[in-house]
Amino acid sequence: MATCTLACWRCRWLLPLLLGLAIILGIIALSGRGWLESESAPYQHQASLWESCTRWDNDLNWQCQSLMDYSWGRAAAATYLVGFVILVICFALAVIAFSVDILRFNFVRGIGGLIFVAAIFQIICLVIYPVKFTEEIQMMGSNMFSWAYGFGWASTIILIGCGFFFCCLPNWEDEVLGNIKPAY
């Protein structure tokens, strides 16, 4: 019977693996065109973090406007990008921390702190975007924040969870490294 305790070498890589998943979700959110979409036919509005596209009645072409023309659009994109760059740095540091035995727990709490900073930047973007978008962009019909916006929130929620685990992990250093006998 195979069991996986924290001392198992595979389980040590779960946190960097979750950070990798958050990176993938962040890439989807950054590149996706589904931050805001029309809820039902006729589909007249579609937006990403970078642009807002409208299709008027009986027109087959989308007319797109850059959100970088708005200060809030630049702020939302910048804060999400800063959070994403910090996330990538944290992923690299986590891989290094779990690869090198000497460094393993010396700076894991620092990685957790950086992860919280990245999550705060992403939350700022995910709050600025819908508030200012609905205030300043003219929309017709019923619209909803869609899948790419959801991927942004999924990435942020994973970051918050990983931040707690990275901050608490040094408290169980001996258990993770297998330095104490298991109690049966």
Side-chain angles (χ1 to χ4, degrees):
M1 178 179 201
T3 61
C4 187
T5 62
L6 283 176
C8 174
W9 67 271
R10 291 171 295 217
C11 296
R12 295 180 196 162
W13 292 100
L14 287 177
L15 290 175
L17 189 67
L18 283 173
L19 288 179
L21 177 63
I23 288 173
I24 292 169
L25 295 174
I27 290 171
I28 293 170
L30 282 169
S31 62
R33 294 186 60 95
W35 278 60
L36 182 126
E37 293 178 336
S38 296
E39 193 168 339
S40 59
Y43 299 105
Q44 296 177 330
H45 208 93
Q46 180 180 16
S48 69
L49 182 59
W50 312 103
E51 65 183 3
S52 173
C53 299
T54 306
R55 181 169 55 190
W56 303 106
D57 296 331
N58 300 325
D59 189 7
L60 297 177
N61 296 325
W62 291 93
Q63 297 172 353
C64 296
Q65 172 189 6
S66 175
L67 294 179
M68 298 302 111
D69 296 337
Y70 298 95
S71 60
W72 61 266
R74 289 189 301 272
T79 54
Y80 199 88
L81 278 173
V82 167
F84 183 76
V85 168
I86 294 172
L87 167 61
V88 171
I89 291 169
C90 288
F91 175 74
L93 290 175
V95 169
I96 291 169
F98 287 103
S99 296
V100 180
D101 290 332
I102 297 170
L103 298 175
R104 183 164 293 143
F105 291 95
N106 291 342
F107 63 97
V108 170
R109 275 202 179 107
I111 295 171
L114 276 175
I115 290 171
F116 279 123
V117 170
I120 289 170
F121 275 110
Q122 289 187 357
I123 288 171
I124 290 170
C125 167
L126 293 167
V127 170
I128 288 174
Y129 184 85
V131 170
K132 298 307 282 183
F133 193 97
T134 54
E135 283 180 4
E136 296 193 20
I137 303 292
Q138 178 186 4
M139 295 183 288
M140 296 172 35
S142 180
N143 297 291
M144 64 178 175
F145 289 95
S146 191
W147 59 271
Y149 183 71
F151 277 108
W153 274 111
S155 174
T156 304
I157 290 168
I158 290 173
L159 279 181
I160 293 169
C162 284
F164 281 113
F165 282 117
F166 271 93
C167 287
C168 295
L169 193 60
N171 295 338
W172 291 284
E173 178 178 357
D174 289 332
E175 286 89 348
V176 172
L177 294 176
N179 293 336
I180 59 174
K181 285 184 160 184
Y184 297 107

